[in-house]
Amino acid sequence: MNIVILDQATISCGDEIDFSAFHKLGTTTLYANLSAPSEIIAATQNAQVIVLNKVNLDAALIAQLSSTIKLIAITATGYDNVDVVAATKRGIKVCNVPGYGTNAVAQLAVCLMLNCATQFVPQLDYMREQGWNKQAGLAIQMHELAGKTLGVVGLGEIGAAIARLGLALGMQVIAYNRSAKHIADVELVSLEQLAAQADFVSLSCALTADTQKIINADFLALMKPNAYLINTARGGLIDEAALVSALQNKQIAGAALDVLCAEPPAADHPLLSLANVILTPHIGWAPIEARQRCVDISESNINSFIYGNPLNLLN
């Protein structure tokens, strides 16, 4: 069994993540971060399994892959970077790693909400630039999360975890989900009701054709002027041009985003310079425990595939 890991460096910055289990499954070759199609094709010429995190395998590239390849193992929950339909046509199975980052992503979503509520970044910036000034700190308005309404879009594992954390903080929690799902003390509402009622809107749904730009000008127009938008899911869920306009015009209070449509963004992307925006570089999944869990589950996926009992298949 030949296993090729295409982008180890997108998962591990050094030796903090242990990849040794892959070597027990077969001959394993690790690359830091291949991206050019010609490099990927050459590196996987004799492989049976491709392991990747961020590498983009579109239909054109999948069509050129070696006939030896039987499995594409994605070390992530999201799989929009792999054309599963094209892989299926080639007889290549695709698997992902659901659930590994539930606690990590929910933790970041709440962290971003807390930062918005306490205006932590402006407080920290002022302290560093001007020094101790309690009156100036009081002038930067802060709010409690308790008693506020949290609207969760998508009640998968991560969305449910965010909802429960919101409840633990004393928030009223409402949610929109395509199918009925019961979580104690969480009220299911329409997307329009959620937009109008929530003080904090947190996105936790997958990016699909149905959810592309689910947060658009119409949704933003329904939001309260003192409400915040939190996105720890996928950038494509938001119409960024509409969000920029809403933020510039103070139509909503602010946004805290861990993901963008294009990553990394262009240097002149307007979201990078808006004072009412917090940006983090897609780190919701990044706690060491979560990354190691992701790698371990991916190894388990491959092991199960080898022994004829595949897990977490997408096709």
Side-chain angles (χ1 to χ4, degrees):
M1 178 66 63
N2 288 328
I3 302 168
V4 175
I5 300 176
L6 296 179
D7 53 357
Q8 179 190 13
T10 64
I11 306 170
S12 177
C13 294
D15 58 0
E16 78 274 19
I17 304 301
D18 182 9
F19 286 82
S20 62
F22 289 95
H23 295 279
K24 299 175 183 177
L25 300 177
T27 302
T28 301
T29 305
L30 293 89
Y31 292 93
N33 194 7
L34 297 185
S35 57
S38 58
E39 293 178 333
I40 293 169
I41 292 167
T44 59
Q45 197 61 42
N46 298 310
Q48 283 79 51
V49 178
I50 297 175
V51 181
L52 58 89
N53 178 248
K54 302 296 184 189
V55 169
N56 184 41
L57 292 186
D58 59 17
L61 182 49
I62 288 173
Q64 300 176 68
L65 292 176
S66 168
S67 61
T68 62
I69 295 168
K70 303 302 179 185
L71 178 68
I72 298 171
I74 306 170
T75 55
T77 301
Y79 52 91
D80 45 296
N81 57 320
V82 175
D83 192 320
V84 178
V85 174
T88 303
K89 290 179 180 178
R90 289 288 315 273
I92 301 171
K93 293 296 185 182
V94 183
C95 62
N96 70 339
V97 183
Y100 78 94
T102 299
N103 292 334
V105 177
Q107 174 178 287
L108 180 63
V110 173
C111 174
L112 293 174
M113 283 194 289
L114 285 165
N115 273 273
C116 291
T118 62
Q119 290 295 291
F120 184 76
V121 174
Q123 293 281 8
L124 185 61
D125 287 344
Y126 189 91
M127 185 74 177
R128 286 174 170 168
E129 294 169 7
Q130 305 294 331
W132 185 282
N133 187 327
K134 187 180 291 186
Q135 289 305 119
L138 290 175
I140 301 173
Q141 291 190 358
M142 301 166 62
H143 297 278
E144 295 179 347
L145 288 183
K148 300 298 187 297
T149 298
L150 167 61
V152 180
V153 180
L155 280 180
E157 287 191 23
I158 293 173
I162 293 170
R164 293 188 181 101
L165 288 172
L167 291 170
L169 289 166
M171 303 181 79
Q172 304 297 316
V173 181
I174 59 177
Y176 167 76
N177 201 59
R178 286 184 299 173
S179 58
K181 186 168 185 178
H182 175 71
I183 297 177
D185 299 318
V186 175
E187 179 188 1
L188 288 180
V189 298
S190 69
L191 192 62
E192 293 76 17
Q193 288 173 312
L194 186 145
Q197 295 176 25
D199 299 298
F200 293 86
V201 174
S202 180
L203 307 182
S204 54
C205 51
L207 178 60
T208 67
D210 292 333
T211 61
Q212 181 86 27
K213 296 186 178 180
I214 193 172
I215 307 302
N216 49 35
D218 292 338
F219 183 98
L220 293 164
L222 293 173
M223 288 180 67
K224 299 177 182 179
N226 60 344
Y228 291 88
L229 177 65
I230 312 295
N231 190 8
T232 55
R234 284 291 184 267
L237 298 172
I238 298 175
D239 181 336
E240 287 184 354
L243 177 59
V244 168
S245 177
L247 291 165
Q248 289 175 334
N249 295 317
K250 302 296 191 295
Q251 191 175 334
I252 64 173
L257 313 170
D258 185 46
V259 288
L260 293 173
C261 291
E263 298 175 2
D268 60 351
H269 196 302
L271 287 172
L272 294 172
S273 58
L274 289 174
N276 54 349
V277 175
I278 297 173
L279 288 177
T280 51
H282 205 144
I283 57 169
W285 69 295
I288 289 175
E289 297 88 348
R291 283 185 284 144
Q292 186 64 61
R293 190 180 303 119
C294 179
V295 168
D296 291 345
I297 296 173
S298 186
E299 181 274 331
S300 180
N301 284 344
I302 297 169
N303 184 63
S304 299
F305 181 81
I306 291 172
Y307 287 98
N309 186 29
L311 299 172
N312 300 316
L313 289 182
L314 299 169
N315 61 351

